[in-house]
Amino acid sequence: MSEKIDGCPYCYIAPQEQRRLLLTQGTWLVFLAERQDYIGHCVLVHREHLDRLSDTTVQDFMDLMMVVRLLEKAAESVFDATNFNWSCLMNDAFKETEFNPHLHLHFRPRYQDAVKVLDNSYVDGEFSHHYDPHKPDQLNEAEKEEVFRRLYAYLHA
């Protein structure tokens, strides 16, 4: 197991981020992303400080496939997601002078129809196109808690 790296935001996940931990599956932690640009956006973080996807083991990949199945089924069942965008870009880790990548992936459910969260409806204006990496947060705190509650309930039923 690799050691934790000082200054790595994924090695030392802040308590406010931990409150949105949806799932642990083997070597993966799944959090509801703070920025809900797409309803149900999650971040999958490897428990170890790995630099890249090719550093994972076969067991890591098996665990990841289980997470993929669970998250896609949850978003489809809870919010009627139509399809899913997965990404492992990690570009931000290379913007600093000293590179410090930590393996993580993003899961963005996509919606053909509007998604209702509490009293508001949200439309995926980029549906059938690449997600917008600069799209702002769509939800207020109460709505984020509702999305978390619903996904967590489904994943732990």
Side-chain angles (χ1 to χ4, degrees), residues 7 30 65 80 85 106 108 116 128 149:
V30 180
M65 287 312 304
D80 200 26
N85 292 167
H106 289 265
R108 288 178 176 89
K116 187 170 174 71
S128 78
R149 185 193 66 74

Side-chain angles (χ1 to χ4, degrees), residues 17 19-20 22 30-44 71 75 78-79 106-111 115 117 122-124 126 131-151:
E17 296 292 324
R19 69 185 169 95
R20 294 227 170 95
L22 281 169
V30 180
F31 297 90
L32 186 69
E34 180 59 32
R35 187 181 66 158
Q36 287 293 291
D37 47 356
Y38 295 88
I39 310 306
H41 176 181
C42 294
V43 179
L44 290 67
L71 284 180
V78 173
F79 296 112
H106 289 265
F107 166 71
R108 288 178 176 89
R110 303 299 301 275
Y111 304 94
V115 179
V117 180
Y122 297 92
V123 174
D124 182 347
E126 298 79 38
Y131 67 87
D132 177 359
H134 305 292
K135 187 173 183 175
D137 200 341
Q138 301 295 297
L139 303 180
N140 63 40
E141 285 302 311
E143 292 165 333
K144 288 177 188 178
E145 286 303 316
E146 177 66 8
V147 168
F148 175 82
R149 185 193 66 74
R150 290 170 66 184
L151 287 172

